Amino acid sequence: MKKTTTSFYDILGISSATLCLVHCLIFPILTILPLGFIHNPIIDLLFASLGLFAILKIIKNSALLISAILVVSMSLIWISILSELFFEIHLDLIYYGGIGMITGHLINYKLHRKQNH
């Protein structure tokens, strides 16, 4: 049963981190085009909250290295989002955090698959 829930949270984390990273990379291009898009940090908060939920479930049963990667990555994401919300400063930390989240979830997913097969 733990294998299924851990896999679910890893897949949720991989999906949300990938969508967030794609959003962060593609959105600046869309704002250049005259389509009426504006940046809304609330969308970033939604992705970060979903990712935070997933990592809180995962770090309880993960190795220290994976937990550290996920916590540091999530911290980078939250620092970047909060600096944009409160100080209107865009930090590139969100990209590194997104890549770290995807990496941490993929490593955790592969380790759990290897252990359970």
Side-chain angles (χ1 to χ4, degrees), residues 12-13 15-24 40-54 74 77-78 81 94 101:
L12 176 68
S15 306
S16 67
T18 303
L19 285 173
C20 180
L21 188 60
V22 167
H23 162 78
C24 290
N40 189 351
I42 303 300
I43 294 172
D44 297 338
L45 276 175
L46 176 71
F47 283 123
S49 298
L50 190 60
L52 182 63
F53 172 74
M74 183 54 68
I77 290 170
W78 278 97
I81 292 170
I94 198 163
M101 289 290 288

